[in-house]
Amino acid sequence: MLEAAIRDKYQPVIGLEVHIQLASDSKLFAIEDFAFGSEPNTHLSPITFAHPGALPSLNKRCIEFAVKLGLAVGSEINTHTYFDRKNYFYPDLPKGYQMSQDREPICKGGSLRIRTAKGDYHTIKIHHLHLEEDAGKSVHDQSPKESFIDLNRAGVGLIELVTEPDLRSSEEAAAFMAEIRRLVRYLGVGDGDMEKGNLRCDANVSVMLKEATEYGTRAEIKNMNSMSFLEKAVVYEIERQIKLIESGGTVIQETRTWDVENERSLSLRDKESADDYRYFPEPDLLPVQISQEEIEAISQEIPELPLARFDRYHKEYGISENEAWSLVEQRADSDYFEALHRATTDPRLAANWFMGPIRSYLNEHQLEITDFPLRPAQLLDLINLMQEGQVNRQAATGPLFKAFVADPEANVLRIAENLNLIINNDSGELEKYMEEIMTQHPKEVSLYRGGKKKLMGFFVGQMMRKLQGKGDPKVVNQIVREKLDNWDN
């Protein structure tokens, strides 16, 4: 570990290249689909294999996804764009080149506001977004002598989002990736599943003395598919570069990989330059024209974004930060909460139900909110029974909730009646019960009347037991107090 005094002399500078696998039904330039976990080399076509004479055709849905994400981050949409060939040889890229975008990316500029775990807000500028096809996968752990190639993923559509070097810590880098994951899920352009490699990033890391005016030489750490790995890799790389500089060495521009087991970055190769890739316009595809009408139609599909919802839930509704983050993490959860809030007109009440019995049910049954049996309007019927004082909260969130979820088309009032959960609010009957209890406990009555007011809880407990939990706590407390203060036996 570096001494704090040495570490504080330097300013880390971080930029991310984020790869987002698109949720289209087919690949970017070929008709076959792709499914994670499929048998190797089963999602292929002559285009993916690069057979002679096989010509690509552009997936329009991928264009729409790129425009949607660009609009969400405030990019300028390039209405005239085209694809380039990025030439390099690698075993899992059969063509020997990748179809990507270099000179005219589909989206230029933009920014994304992030919030770190410490509650700090930062706006990270975006250089551009471009479309490209993914490569296949090399498998090195199934044989001591051979590597295997799975081309299923080759040709799958990706958006590469490139930030400006605006990030200054590993925490900010992780927060950016977390916000991108929420964003692509909200927009429906991808599932953001980092474990499957559907969202991953390369981190460009450099350090500079705080009084310096020029950035240091950067090293690129490839293919981070975990928030934890990203944070650890950035921290390690910052310390590695500082130690190298402090010892009189020089940081070289290179590509590195993250060694998960030993938690260190390792050199892979010298970093290529754009000239190494010999970019030129893709001759087998026409340029792409995007009309303003198409852009406007796509913009209408963009929902309120997750950080805006978080601000509203926390600042306007008074929901705690942790609960607000939990509510906005998945769009389906947030949409259900929004509908429940509209039904109840009380955001705190809606949040308590979602974070309480609903979340417990989903966790217990390992379900998503899309699988929850009760629609918000149905759940409102149950909530109204509690609000009207016909059932208490313990019954409403416990046995009645479970029974209603099991039979969502039933009448919830009938369920409550059949389970004998309806509250007894007959004041005459409640007074009679209290008088019986006081007669059975004269010593406690005397002590209460003598000043031991804490015995109030004893009598409330006795009443609730007698009522088998079917008592309105407010009514019960009122009758208990009145009888204790005024009863003369």
Side-chain angles (χ1 to χ4, degrees), residues 270-442:
D270 290 345
K271 175 64 178 172
E272 303 90 343
S273 68
D275 291 341
D276 295 325
Y277 293 125
R278 306 189 316 281
Y279 283 106
F280 64 85
E282 171 56 55
D284 290 336
L285 285 172
L286 291 171
V288 179
Q289 298 281 355
I290 306 171
S291 70
Q292 290 299 327
E293 290 77 14
E294 289 173 314
I295 294 172
E296 178 60 27
I298 293 170
S299 73
Q300 297 302 312
E301 300 175 0
I302 298 176
E304 183 181 28
L305 300 181
L307 197 54
R309 283 192 173 182
F310 168 83
D311 288 341
R312 178 158 56 87
Y313 295 172
H314 179 52
K315 296 177 181 178
E316 294 183 27
Y317 299 164
I319 296 171
S320 72
E321 290 189 8
N322 287 340
E323 288 186 345
W325 275 126
S326 181
L327 287 170
V328 304
E329 183 63 29
Q330 299 282 355
R331 182 179 173 183
D333 289 355
S334 186
D335 286 348
Y336 190 98
F337 166 74
E338 291 279 328
L340 189 58
H341 166 219
R342 289 193 295 269
T344 62
T345 69
D346 184 341
R348 277 296 332 160
L349 179 65
N352 288 339
W353 273 87
F354 191 95
M355 299 303 298
I358 295 175
R359 182 73 82 193
S360 296
Y361 175 85
L362 297 177
N363 290 341
E364 180 183 351
H365 294 85
Q366 298 183 321
L367 298 175
E368 300 294 333
I369 190 62
T370 50
D371 303 311
F372 185 59
L374 296 176
R375 299 183 301 276
Q378 292 174 295
L379 190 59
L380 180 62
D381 292 338
L382 189 161
I383 294 172
N384 284 339
L385 284 185
M386 183 185 75
Q387 297 290 85
E388 294 163 0
Q390 296 192 65
V391 296
N392 61 34
R393 180 172 180 77
Q394 183 179 2
T397 60
L400 183 54
F401 175 81
K402 291 180 180 179
F404 196 22
V405 169
D407 189 5
E409 300 307 317
N411 182 291
V412 69
L413 177 58
R414 299 287 87 80
I415 295 176
E417 290 172 343
N418 293 337
L419 294 176
N420 198 25
L421 297 175
I422 300 298
I423 285 177
N424 184 347
N425 279 329
D426 185 329
S427 58
E429 188 172 354
L430 295 178
E431 289 177 0
K432 179 182 176 182
Y433 287 158
M434 184 58 188
E435 289 172 2
E436 291 176 2
I437 292 170
M438 294 172 73
T439 300
Q440 294 167 2
H441 298 280

Side-chain angles (χ1 to χ4, degrees), residues 66-67 69-78 106-111 126-129 161:
V67 171
L69 182 56
L71 291 172
V73 298
S75 296
E76 174 192 350
I77 306 304
N78 193 349
I106 192 166
C107 304
K108 299 177 180 179
S111 63
I126 293 168
H127 185 273
H128 75 270
L129 289 78
L161 181 153

Side-chain angles (χ1 to χ4, degrees), residues 83-302:
F83 285 85
D84 300 281
R85 284 192 183 182
K86 181 180 180 181
N87 294 275
Y88 65 93
F89 174 77
Y90 205 68
D92 54 15
L93 198 63
K95 293 193 294 285
Y97 60 87
Q98 180 189 42
M99 296 167 74
S100 181
Q101 293 185 304
D102 177 40
R103 293 179 180 271
E104 292 293 341
I106 192 166
C107 304
K108 299 177 180 179
S111 63
L112 185 67
R113 189 166 66 110
I114 64 171
R115 184 180 185 278
T116 68
K118 297 176 181 178
D120 300 324
Y121 287 89
H122 301 276
T123 297
I124 308 302
K125 295 190 293 296
I126 293 168
H127 185 273
H128 75 270
L129 289 78
H130 69 256
L131 279 164
E132 64 184 22
E133 59 181 340
D134 207 348
K137 182 179 180 181
S138 297
V139 181
H140 306 293
D141 59 357
Q142 294 187 9
S143 169
K145 297 181 179 179
E146 299 173 308
S147 291
F148 298 92
I149 303 297
D150 178 7
L151 293 176
N152 279 344
R153 199 174 65 185
V156 170
L158 296 179
I159 292 174
E160 181 173 337
L161 181 153
V162 181
T163 76
E164 297 287 1
D166 284 355
L167 300 151
R168 294 294 179 264
S169 68
S170 60
E171 293 84 4
E172 289 183 20
F176 186 91
M177 287 299 293
E179 195 59 36
I180 283 290
R181 181 173 61 184
R182 277 189 288 268
L183 185 59
V184 300
R185 289 172 173 174
Y186 266 65
L187 297 174
V189 304
D191 63 16
D193 192 329
M194 297 189 76
E195 289 187 4
K196 295 178 180 177
N198 298 350
L199 177 66
R200 54 193 190 271
C201 75
D202 305 333
N204 292 288
V205 181
S206 66
V207 298
M208 58 189 290
L209 290 170
K210 287 186 175 178
E211 63 271 17
T213 57
E214 294 185 4
Y215 293 146
T217 302
R218 72 182 187 272
E220 180 185 39
I221 310 172
K222 296 289 287 185
N223 288 328
M224 299 285 101
N225 65 344
S226 156
M227 305 290 186
S228 174
F229 294 165
L230 173 61
E231 284 202 71
K232 291 177 180 178
V234 169
V235 168
Y236 178 90
E237 185 60 22
I238 290 170
E239 293 203 354
R240 183 189 73 84
Q241 292 187 20
I242 292 175
K243 289 177 182 177
L244 186 59
I245 295 170
E246 286 288 311
S247 65
T250 302
V251 177
I252 63 170
Q253 185 170 330
E254 62 179 336
T255 298
R256 301 178 70 87
T257 187
W258 180 243
D259 180 351
V260 174
E261 185 175 344
N262 296 300
E263 295 192 346
R264 60 179 180 173
S265 66
L266 301 173
S267 181
L268 282 178
R269 59 183 180 271
D270 290 345
K271 175 64 178 172
E272 303 90 343
S273 68
D275 291 341
D276 295 325
Y277 293 125
R278 306 189 316 281
Y279 283 106
F280 64 85
E282 171 56 55
D284 290 336
L285 285 172
L286 291 171
V288 179
Q289 298 281 355
I290 306 171
S291 70
Q292 290 299 327
E293 290 77 14
E294 289 173 314
I295 294 172
E296 178 60 27
I298 293 170
S299 73
Q300 297 302 312
E301 300 175 0
I302 298 176

